[in-house]
Amino acid sequence: MKRIVYGLFAVMLAFAFAAPARAGDAVEEARILFTAGAQAYEAGRYADAVDAFRAAHALTPQRPTVLFSLAQAERRHFTVARDPAVLQAAITHFRGYLELVPEGGRRADVVAALGELESIAASLEQKNIEASASKARLLITTQTPGAVITIDGTERTTVPVIEAIAPGKHAVVVSAPGFVGETREIVAVEGAILPVEINLRERPSFLAVTAPRGASIQVDGRSQGEAPLVSPIELPSGAHVVTVAQRGHEPRTLRVMIERGGTNRLDVSLATTRQRRVSYGLVAGAGVAFVSGFALAVSAALQEDAAERLLSRTEQGHIDLGTLEAYESARTSRDVLRTGAIGSFAMSTVFGVAAIATYWFDNPTPPPAGSGETARVERFARVVPMPGGAWIGVGGRF
């Protein structure tokens, strides 16, 4: 039995994706009817499935897949309704399938089903099958998730909607959270089934990213500019990857889930890189070395001045051993301080060049999208464009 059920959905998929390129309006209506019939069958609504498959078969009578699905739906419907007319219809359509498919296909399953149904039919009292009174039936299907279908002001929450209605004009409204609703006026004809497919369009979604000034922002690999952004980014709902990077800061790659039909806010902060902190330390070291070199140079100049004053005494002939020793000491101190100053200035230069290099080349690569962190976004406003480019919104958190 499971094989037959699986086979039903397999042929449904084959029908949906293998329609000829030249298919016209009749084939398109048959496709909608077949899809609705499969949905009703899966939901256990076999009477509705029979109606949909029967209408699809009338439009495409030479498709064995449609005829098999109709017979299988009638077989299931009979087990619930116990209507001899439904039983006879299932037998007729299974036999019709055997005529269309002389070999291969689902013949083995059909023969087994016929044996079961004809055995039941033999035990039942045969009655004449009277044609049911003609009536208008409306079939509405949609692929929109969470859709609510309203017919003449009455809501239906199950899809597809297949029900009898009075002939004439009717108002059909399809709505769903996060989608733009649609209203149609349809005309039902007595004795006919009217297929209608309405798929809604998503409401626009936005992402407002807040990041440090000057940080570059990418969404799904596409550059969105630098922070602060002029306006929220319009995106389709669902999962997205946001990358925020700035020189001297650790870049971040975030996976966010965008809610449909509103503005979602994402606040991103960036930590300073270790290399940037090292560059600041090198700048400080260069400053200390420069100040030390300057102090040593001043001290060396003072010792030079003291040595020159002592030298002037020797030229005047007023020299003694103590003065000579003081002169030599001043010259020695001058040389040591001068050497220290030169070394300090050299160290300051090295530190300065290193600081510039570490600062300039501090531009880390963002992590790949697959290794990013998952971020929560706040849905805080529903953005509506206004004349003149203005925006209006209502705040809130969830």
Side-chain angles (χ1 to χ4, degrees), residues 38-190:
Q39 290 177 334
Y41 185 96
E42 186 178 11
R45 295 162 55 186
Y46 301 119
D48 293 336
V50 167
D51 288 341
F53 287 138
R54 183 182 293 130
H57 175 60
L59 293 172
T60 55
Q62 297 303 315
R63 288 186 180 268
T65 55
V66 179
L67 187 57
F68 177 88
S69 301
L70 172 59
Q72 181 66 11
E74 290 170 335
R75 177 188 179 193
R76 291 289 187 181
H77 181 40
F78 171 74
T79 61
V80 177
R82 308 303 296 179
D83 185 352
V86 176
L87 174 63
Q88 189 58 46
I91 294 173
T92 300
H93 291 135
F94 274 133
R95 290 197 172 279
Y97 177 89
L98 294 178
E99 294 176 3
L100 284 176
V101 183
E103 60 182 12
R106 305 301 302 274
R107 287 181 61 87
D109 294 331
V110 170
V111 170
L114 277 173
E116 173 190 340
L117 296 179
E118 289 177 343
S119 175
I120 296 175
S123 64
L124 297 176
E125 180 181 0
Q126 296 299 317
K127 295 181 179 180
N128 293 329
I129 302 176
E130 299 178 358
S132 59
S134 297
K135 55 185 176 180
R137 291 182 70 83
L138 176 63
L139 181 154
I140 304 175
T141 184
T142 179
Q143 302 298 324
T144 305
V148 175
I149 300 175
T150 302
I151 303 175
D152 297 332
T154 303
E155 287 189 354
R156 279 80 166 173
T157 57
T158 57
V159 177
V161 172
I162 305 177
E163 61 181 58
I165 58 175
K169 294 183 179 181
H170 298 271
V172 177
V173 179
V174 180
S175 60
F179 290 84
V180 179
E182 184 174 341
T183 301
R184 290 190 191 179
E185 183 181 84
I186 56 94
V187 178
V189 178
E190 183 178 359

Side-chain angles (χ1 to χ4, degrees), residues 236-250:
S237 61
H240 296 274
V241 177
V242 179
T243 301
V244 181
Q246 186 177 33
R247 187 183 295 274
H249 296 79
E250 298 289 351

